Amino acid sequence: MESIQQTFQKMKNSKSILGHFERLKEDVLSDKWVNEFITANPELPESELDRNISRLFEFRNERKNCSICMSLQSCPNMMKGYQPELYVERQQVQIRYNVCQKKLKADESKRQHSLIKSLFIPKEILAATFDQLDQDNRSRIVAIAKAVEFATTTTPGETGKGLYLHGKFGVGKTYIMGAIANELAERNISTMLVYTPDFFRELKSGIHDGSYNVKLDLVKKVPVLILDDLGAETMSSWVRDDILGVILQHRMLEKLPTLYTSNYDFDELEEHLAYSQKGGIEQLKSKRIMERIRHFAEPVFIEGENRRGM
């Protein structure tokens, strides 16, 4: 695109400057958007328009770019994502740039995604929406309905009730949780998705680098926490009592919803939590953890084929 400065430079080097100017003026004033501006401001004298042909030229070219723009990424304007607007101030023609709809939408999407924090969760999960979920069996229909109800009605701090999605490996439990997180972002509710086995390992390493308390507090206090694949971790008394127990106790007291995915049902998870590598079988401690999970999370079973292999 030729700039107005380049155009006027050519005019200066020409013997027919006036002719070039008149042709440029005619071209600019015939533009439909410039015409709309002139029609809306009939009090502007022609001399003011003449003085601002360069400004009108800039507006015409940038506005033309906007009319054929396909995406924010391909925007050719000087200020990517901004649309020009002509206005009158003190009887003088002025131009300003406003954020275009594509940039507004992109900025809103970025803001919403900033509300979703994740630890060790695949990117495709973070992009999940309810519209994309297959409803190919009754259990999935029920699970999706429960997920939609939670995502559209929960109020962290007022109700601590969550969901416990369980079923075989690969039936889509985590993907449903991703859809919940995105719906909550629409409501400006911050969510953290955590792949539990890796997070527990991360916390263990945090003892040595000094980040343990910071990471633990982050998970304890986030408005909505999703613990993915609970039960896949190697259980120890420390993980169960000093990590999981501490997280769930705080969230219970603050009425912050916690959601879970697991291959285990409640009874199987209780058995898993009872066994630790060094402590043997500790059923009482396992029951304490399960009491917090059972009371504050509704179990929802999902059946079906392994979707990851499809």
Side-chain angles (χ1 to χ4, degrees):
M1 181 184 71
E2 187 180 62
S3 70
I4 186 62
Q5 289 83 3
Q6 291 171 319
T7 300
F8 282 135
Q9 187 61 43
K10 288 181 180 179
M11 288 169 52
K12 291 177 183 178
N13 296 333
S14 171
K15 294 180 181 180
S16 54
I17 295 177
L18 184 59
H20 277 281
F21 178 79
E22 289 300 327
R23 284 194 295 274
L24 177 63
K25 176 181 175 182
E26 182 181 353
D27 180 47
V28 170
L29 296 183
S30 66
D31 176 75
K32 66 175 183 178
W33 292 295
V34 174
N35 253 303
E36 288 175 1
F37 169 73
I38 295 173
T39 301
N41 297 278
E43 74 283 359
L44 281 174
E46 186 175 353
S47 58
E48 176 62 16
L49 296 175
D50 288 346
R51 281 195 297 271
N52 287 280
I53 288 297
S54 63
R55 189 164 283 162
L56 297 175
F57 179 87
E58 175 188 334
F59 168 81
R60 190 277 306 269
N61 284 352
E62 297 282 281
R63 186 64 183 81
K64 184 178 180 181
N65 288 337
C66 292
S67 69
I68 59 175
C69 178
M70 299 299 293
S71 68
L72 180 63
Q73 290 72 27
S74 63
C75 173
N77 280 355
M78 293 182 292
M79 297 176 61
K80 181 175 288 191
Y82 287 83
Q83 189 174 61
E85 178 190 5
L86 292 172
Y87 67 101
V88 176
E89 186 176 87
R90 298 179 182 178
Q91 295 300 304
Q92 294 181 335
V93 176
Q94 305 289 342
I95 188 170
R96 61 186 164 210
Y97 282 83
N98 304 312
V99 180
C100 74
Q101 288 300 312
K102 288 183 176 66
K103 181 169 172 56
L104 283 172
K105 186 176 181 180
D107 288 347
E108 176 63 13
S109 177
K110 185 177 180 181
R111 185 193 66 79
Q112 290 180 359
H113 277 89
S114 72
L115 294 173
I116 305 174
K117 303 176 179 66
S118 68
L119 295 174
F120 319 106
I121 297 292
K123 289 184 178 180
E124 62 267 23
I125 299 299
L126 303 182
T129 64
F130 286 119
D131 291 339
Q132 299 169 329
L133 298 177
D134 293 330
Q135 301 184 33
D136 50 7
N137 66 58
R138 186 178 182 280
S139 69
R140 284 182 63 79
I141 293 172
V142 171
I144 292 170
K146 295 283 187 183
V148 171
E149 180 183 13
F150 172 85
T152 55
T153 62
T154 190
T155 305
E158 294 183 14
T159 173
K161 294 288 186 178
L163 295 172
Y164 183 92
L165 304 187
H166 64 101
K168 292 189 297 184
F169 177 85
V171 295
K173 303 183 295 293
T174 305
Y175 206 80
I176 292 175
M177 291 300 184
I180 290 176
N182 278 301
E183 186 66 31
L184 290 172
E186 293 273 357
R187 298 177 56 209
N188 295 316
I189 297 175
S190 182
T191 306
M192 175 169 280
L193 293 89
V194 176
Y195 180 62
T196 310
D198 283 350
F199 175 63
F200 288 161
R201 283 192 289 270
E202 181 83 2
L203 275 183
K204 189 173 183 179
S205 66
I207 295 175
H208 304 291
D209 62 25
S211 64
Y212 173 80
N213 287 328
V214 173
K215 293 173 181 175
L216 186 61
D217 279 350
L218 185 65
V219 173
K220 282 167 51 179
K221 298 176 181 179
V222 68
V224 176
L225 173 64
I226 299 173
L227 293 176
D228 184 45
D229 215 1
L230 183 63
E233 70 288 332
T234 300
M235 187 49 59
S236 69
S237 297
W238 178 74
V239 167
R240 181 192 59 217
D241 303 330
D242 296 331
I243 299 180
L244 186 58
V246 169
I247 290 171
L248 298 186
Q249 177 69 13
H250 176 87
R251 299 187 65 78
M252 178 183 71
L253 294 175
E254 297 299 322
K255 295 185 178 180
L256 299 175
T258 305
L259 297 89
Y260 311 81
T261 73
S262 180
N263 295 337
Y264 295 149
D265 62 22
F266 278 165
D267 291 338
E268 292 168 334
L269 181 64
E270 182 172 332
E271 183 179 344
H272 170 74
L273 293 174
Y275 176 79
S276 62
Q277 289 178 314
K278 296 182 180 180
I281 304 298
E282 299 176 303
Q283 291 182 336
L284 181 59
K285 291 184 177 181
S286 174
K287 288 183 181 296
R288 287 174 181 168
I289 300 292
M290 286 305 304
E291 184 63 24
R292 296 165 191 166
I293 297 176
R294 290 178 191 272
H295 187 70
F296 289 98
E298 179 182 358
V300 181
F301 174 66
I302 304 177
E303 61 182 350
E305 299 298 321
N306 184 345
R307 310 178 78 83
R308 298 180 192 178
M310 298 173 64

